[in-house]
Structures are given as structure tokens and as C-alpha cells.
Amino acid sequence: MEMSSPAPHNPIDDNRQGLIGKPLDRVDGRLKVTGRATYAYEYADAGQPLYGYVVGSGISKGRISDINTRAAERAPGVKLVLTYKNMLDQAPKSKESSPQLVDEKITHYGQPVAFVVADSFERTRAAAALVQPVYQQEAGVYDLAKALSQARMPKPGIQPADSTQGQFDSAFAAAAVQLDETYTTPHQSHAMMEPHATLAVWHGDHLTLYTSNQMLTQAQDTVAKTLQMPPAQVRVIGRYIGGGFGSKLQIQADVILAAAAARKLQLPVKVALTRPQVFHATTHRTATIQRIRLGADRDGHLQAIAHESWSGNTSGEEFFESAAAQTRSLYAAANRKTAHRLSTLDLPVASSMRAPGEAVGLLAIECAMDELAEKLQLDPVELRRRNEPAEDPEKHVPYSVRQLVPCMDEGARRFDWARRSARPAQQRDGRWLVGMGMAAAIRSNFLRPSHAQVSIDGSGIVTVKMGMTDIGTGSYTVFTQIAAEMLGVAPERVRMLLGDTEFPAAAGSGGSFGAASAGSGLYVACDALRSKLAVLAGFDAATAIFANGQISNGQQSKSLAALAGSDGVQANGDIQPGDLAKKYSQQAYGAHFVEVGVDMDTGEIRMRRMLSVFAAGRILNQKMAHSQALGGMTFGIGAALTEELVVDDQLGLFANHDLAEYHVATHADVPALEVVFLPEVDDKANPLKIKGIGELGICGAGAAVANAIYNACGVRVRDYPITLDKVLGGLPRQA
């Protein structure tokens, strides 16, 4: 099926069994809480594995002049020490390949320089300490601000780097009210619970990888390209993933090194990265410097809007943080400019992290809108309402569905926004200065090609196979609900098989497109199976009703199990994006409302309450959606208040490279959060009429916190995270 026209009325709309939207418990929940869900490092295949340990570079830039591995090779239990000198032949570095231990060049701290394999983890780690690299160190650049003069226009990503409409410079200069401010965001880590881990097993010339990866089909292709072998000879298994947030979109060093060592030894090799290695040898979110310029008339109508963003990445990497992309469609203004520039930094590789672009871009533009509202003496909600576009202001196409204003209105009503004081530092609760802030949320909506296979057997059991992943988001559960509703069976009668590239290739988990894409492929497969079963029953598939394990047409009904018989019935389906994504501007929307307290003496910041209202298409499972929104909102609180990878400017490494010193938001930082979903279906998005939720919650959340802090104490911090030292000096003097 190709999304070349709006989705018609279908069985998901009918929802005869009431399964769509139902807060069904996780179908994999019991396995997880009892420890029976198998994660990458827990697999066993072909006997006792050997253990690998990565030796990372001790410098951030330079070359290896020598590497002495003799002591490590003689250590007890050691079977192999890999370096660039004895590594397998690999394809050159490209978008499709990820070679490791290529040559003497060092581009960042923690880059793998050796891989030690021994018969126990303890022996492997001990031997790794005996590897002795000798480096020729070079001076590096680690500070984005100091690298701006060397910034360049990056190659286009999903969207072009720059965009222009009208005449920004002259319109901004002529605007009655102007805002020109710069906002900075720090490097951030994904900090997911499960580290990157892989078990590699060769069966002849066929490789099986048990690994923690969000995109299994892409992983299969990358490994095959890197090791120069046919993709059909690579099998990737990842049935349960302990979080990713984007860090497991690409193949990382653990996969290639385990595969290479296992091939050389013809024995299984297992490796898990340590937490500091996760911080340095995988990816992170880059820091940004963002300049926002807004020009408006005195009634608050934007006449000019510019959003320019600078980010950094390792030499040879083209990924840039698309922080200005959402500004292209968020608010109306005739004269517009967005731009992205990329500087080379001698730091670990930067790539996608949860809600790339919007997560940090909205930290800037939504604070700028708050500042503009104050200049205009307008309510922040009203300012946004006055700049609601009638169509996408840059693409000049209609929105598929846009409920930003309803989200703001409903949030303002529920939060009692009218109680907010327009002047900062006016409300107190004992020693606390209390303030409210809000921000809009927007996240692009995507559809990716995805395939599925579904069958039913003679006992009425439905089996679904997809090379899809569940990274903790509830994929197993929502897909079970789709299949059960489409085929009219109880969820307990659905057997959901995910996480294996031997199954039909699926979209994977990333970009909030997982449920929409893989779920739509499953929908199409189920629709094809409905048609086959209707033919067997002698019914018209268009009018047949599937419910309670039966198919009926008028007064006649037949058992699905009986129709399947001993041979069973099987069908395949796939979804393709089509051209609706070009004909319509497709996003999910929301509005965040926050109340904070700021201690008038110490500057300590405390979240008091938070409400977020979202419009994200049809909700497949109220409980899963609510959980995803809570996680995103918590992510946003962390981005506003605590999260920062601190760069050691002398050594070029992240000083706080563990979960003790990298401060994610925890229970004590987060108040009771309230989540509201507005009713919505989007027939331009996909046949399920849903939108992504996983990243929407973080988008704008941190800006709402920042705006609340300003309203509480009158201190505007534009350098994230907002820590008490940045607030303390500007607190109002107390009588």
C-alpha cells in the first residue's frame, strides 16, 4: 500500500472489539519483570562464548606511532588482540559502512584502538590494561564557540540546511518590535539503561549477531557492507532493547569488533561496552549555539523570523543538529530565514538523540517567543495564537491536521493559566518565588517503508512476524492490539514475533515513526489476510465482520480457525510513504504548562507541577502513549535543569562519563505530571491515522521550564542547563 491518497474508513476506525486505544498492559511485561526477556548480552549460542573488551584511545587527536600488544597476548586466557595491524579487511568508511581499527589516525578520545578477547570477562579486562599504545598527540578543538569561524554549510540531511522566504533583513530592520538573542545548549548523552552489547557467532560463512540495535534491517546492511559479504549471510537479532534514544540507530564498534574477532577465532565472542565507553565510543547530542531574531508589529504579528544554528561533529562526519528546522513551519511570518552551520570538533561522534532538532531548537525559539511576548506586553499564549499560520509558511501546502491552538487553549484552561502574573517575581510561597511558563510542542511526523507477515492456524492462533524492534516503547503491545482488532481475535490469541532480520524487513524504532510505519505494514498484511479468509468463507471482504474469532456476513458466521484448517492461511503486507508527505505538512503538536519555585536565597529550582496537552493522531494504547509522554516530559526537564556533558578543554573528553556524574532527571526532580491527549485522527498520515508520540513529549518541555523560571524570579538564562549558579546573581533583593 502506498500513501498516495487519504486513508479511507477502515476496521481500525470501526474498532468493533474496542481494542484500539484500550490501556492494555504490556504483553511482554511479565517476561521483563521476571527476568525472562532476553537482552543482547544474555544470549547463548554455540556454547560458552569468549569475552571481548575494547581498548579506547587515551588522546583526542593524533596518531598511533606504536602499539605494543605482546604483554596482553601472553596474559592468561587471552585468545586474540586485534589492532589496525591485524584487523579483517573492511569496506571504506561511508554512510553504509562502519569500519573499526582502520589505521593509526585518532579523531576522538575513546576511539577503539584495540580489542582484546579472552576466556572470561575478568581476564579480558585485565589483559586490556596491558595493551600499550604510543601516541603522537596533536592539538585539538573542543569548544564550539571557538570553532565558529571555521563553520561550513553541511550537506543536506532530511531537510536542506538553509531556507529563505521573502526579505528577512529589511523586514526585521523595519519591525516595530525586535528581538535578537542567542541561546546555547550543551552536549548531551543518551544515557539509556542498557549499554551497547553484542554476541557474534559464525556458522560457516553466515554470521548471527545478537545485539542491542534500534534498526535491525539497517544494521544487517551496514554489517554486510562493512565486512564485504552478502546481506543474506548476516542475521541480526534484537528481541528486547533496553532503551536507545537514538544511540542505537547506527552500528557501533561492539558489533564490528565482535564479528571480526569471532571470525578470526571461529568461536562466539561477546562484548558489552562499559558506561564510560558508551559515552565516548558511541554517539551523543552535540552542543548548539542558536541565534533567534524576531520582528513584529505592535499588535504581535510576526513580520520577520530568523533562526540560525551552529553545531559540531567529528572530522569526516556530516550529521548536524537541525535545530532550526521546526521554525520553518511553526509560526506565520512573510519574511523568514533559517540556517545551519557545522564546525569540526575533536570530540566523539555526534548524531541523533531523542527528537533531534526540535529538542534543542525549541529550547531557543520558544524562549524567544516568551521574551517577545513580554516586550509586547502580550500573554504568551495569545502571541502564539496571533501567529497561527493558515498553511505551512515555507512549503505553502496545507497542514494534514494542526491542533496547536486547541492544545494551548485546553492546557491554559486546565492549568488555570489566567492566575499567572505577567510581571516576574510577583508570586511567593514562603521562601519560594513561584512562576508559570508555557511553550509549544511540535514534532515532524514520518512514514517509512515497512513489511509484515501475518498468519492464522487451525487453532485460531494469529502469528505476526516483523523485523521490528521494541526499545521499551510498547511495540509488542500496540502491534498485538492492531492484529487482534483487524482479525477479530482476543489479544491473547496473537503471537507477536519481532526483532529478527529473518522476518520481513520493518522500519525499526527511531524518529517516532516505528508504530506508524511497522503498524501500517501490519495493517496491510492483516487486511490481506481478511480478504483471503473472506474468500474461503464465501463472503464479501468489504462487508464481512471479524469479531470473537469468527467472520460473519449477515446471519452467517464461520470460525477463523476452521477456515485456516491444518495448513493455515498466511498473508504479507507492506506500506510505502507515497506523496502525501509532500502534499501536506505533517506534524504532531502539543503545549506544555509548568509551575516552578525558585528559592529566593539560594536560587534552587524546584518543579511544582507540569501539564502537557498533545494532539498526536489516533491513540493506539492510552497507557503506552501516556508513558511515552511522561518520559519525554521528564527528558525535557532534564535538558532544562541538569543534563550537560562537561568537556575537559585540555584532554578533549567528557569529564562526567557515568550515570553518577551525568545528571539525568530523577524522581526527586520531577513532580506529578499530567498528560492530556486531544481527540484526533489524521487520514493523511497512514492507514492507522496515528502520529508518533515517543519524541513529542520532550519538544518544548524544557523551554516551558525556562519560561517559568523567568516568571518566578525575573532571571532569564539563555545558556542551558539552568543551574542555580546562573540564577543566583540575578535574584531580586529581599527586603
Side-chain angles (χ1 to χ4, degrees), residues 179-247:
L179 178 85
D180 185 348
E181 296 291 353
T182 297
Y183 305 82
T184 60
T185 65
H187 301 280
Q188 296 175 350
S189 173
H190 304 85
M192 66 288 154
M193 290 185 69
E194 182 198 20
H196 299 73
T198 299
L199 168 63
V201 185
W202 288 86
H203 302 279
D205 58 359
H206 285 66
L207 171 64
T208 299
L209 293 163
Y210 302 89
T211 191
S212 189
N213 187 275
Q214 298 173 226
M215 313 280 285
L216 298 189
T217 301
Q218 179 178 295
Q220 179 186 41
D221 291 340
T222 300
V223 171
K225 178 73 172 180
T226 303
L227 298 182
Q228 303 175 99
M229 56 191 296
Q233 292 178 204
V234 178
R235 181 184 182 187
V236 183
I237 297 172
R239 295 190 176 96
Y240 299 98
I241 312 298
F245 306 126
S247 72

Side-chain angles (χ1 to χ4, degrees), residues 343-646:
S343 295
T344 296
L345 298 178
D346 301 305
L347 290 173
V349 177
S351 191
S352 296
M353 180 171 155
R354 196 175 191 180
E358 292 100 333
V360 292
L362 287 166
L363 287 171
I365 185 64
E366 284 302 286
C367 283
M369 288 293 284
D370 197 71
E371 296 195 56
L372 181 63
E374 184 179 43
K375 281 176 172 282
L376 292 162
Q377 296 185 332
L378 265 181
D379 180 85
V381 173
E382 179 59 27
L383 174 62
R384 289 165 173 82
R385 186 196 316 280
R386 293 185 185 186
N387 291 284
E388 174 70 3
E391 65 172 10
D392 189 293
E394 296 199 14
K395 295 180 180 178
H396 299 293
V397 297
Y399 293 99
S400 58
V401 181
R402 178 178 166 114
Q403 291 203 80
L404 176 56
V405 170
C407 286
M408 293 191 297
D409 288 346
E410 182 66 13
R413 182 187 69 80
R414 288 174 176 260
F415 204 70
D416 201 6
W417 179 252
R419 288 199 305 105
R420 172 185 176 270
S421 171
R423 291 180 57 204
Q426 297 301 301
Q427 295 184 348
R428 296 187 183 182
D429 180 7
R431 62 185 290 176
W432 297 95
L433 299 168
V434 180
M436 294 185 189
M438 64 82 54
I442 180 174
R443 173 62 183 163
S444 298
N445 190 65
F446 302 105
L447 182 65
R448 293 287 183 263
S450 202
H451 304 260
Q453 181 187 98
V454 60
S455 62
I456 186 168
D457 63 20
S459 60
I461 298 296
V462 172
T463 299
V464 175
K465 293 182 179 180
M466 292 190 289
M468 181 57 181
T469 52
D470 188 325
I471 59 174
T473 50
S475 298
Y476 279 101
T477 307
V478 295
F479 297 150
T480 295
Q481 289 174 267
I482 293 169
E485 185 60 48
M486 285 292 293
L487 297 171
V489 301
E492 296 77 17
R493 308 291 286 173
V494 177
R495 183 169 169 250
M496 189 61 55
L497 302 180
L498 305 178
D500 192 331
T501 54
E502 289 201 338
F503 302 154
S509 300
S512 295
F513 55 67
S517 302
S520 293
L522 174 57
Y523 163 88
V524 176
C526 289
D527 196 48
L529 185 58
R530 285 167 61 102
S531 295
K532 287 188 175 184
L533 291 167
V535 169
L536 290 172
F539 297 160
D540 180 358
T543 59
I545 295 174
F546 288 74
N548 302 315
Q550 296 185 320
I551 178 173
S552 59
N553 193 353
Q555 299 300 314
Q556 300 182 65
S557 63
K558 296 185 179 180
S559 163
L560 298 182
L563 292 173
S566 59
D567 293 333
V569 183
Q570 177 181 300
N572 297 312
D574 70 274
I575 189 72
Q576 299 294 330
D579 61 358
L580 284 187
K582 296 180 180 178
K583 293 179 179 178
Y584 296 90
S585 183
Q586 297 186 12
Q587 289 89 23
Y589 295 95
H592 302 281
F593 292 82
V594 168
E595 181 179 280
V596 303
V598 179
D599 188 291
M600 63 179 64
D601 296 315
T602 68
E604 178 187 356
I605 301 163
R606 281 292 174 188
M607 296 287 296
R608 291 165 66 97
R609 59 192 181 107
M610 184 174 188
L611 162 73
S612 298
V613 181
F614 301 111
R618 169 178 281 129
I619 301 302
L620 291 175
N621 182 306
Q622 191 69 33
K623 184 181 295 186
M624 303 296 118
H626 183 263
S627 178
Q628 284 296 290
L630 291 181
M633 293 157 68
T634 302
F635 233 86
I637 293 169
L641 300 179
T642 65
E643 291 199 37
E644 178 182 16
L645 281 172
V646 179

Side-chain angles (χ1 to χ4, degrees), residues 285-304:
R285 195 199 302 277
T286 175
T288 70
I289 298 172
Q290 301 177 56
R291 183 188 183 191
I292 307 287
R293 284 177 285 173
L294 303 175
D297 63 25
R298 297 203 178 275
D299 291 328
H301 298 103
L302 285 170
Q303 298 170 328

Side-chain angles (χ1 to χ4, degrees), residues 32-52:
K32 288 183 174 179
V33 299
T34 58
R36 292 184 291 130
T38 307
Y39 291 83
Y41 199 68
E42 299 172 322
Y43 277 97
D45 185 334
Q48 178 66 31
L50 300 173
Y51 292 82

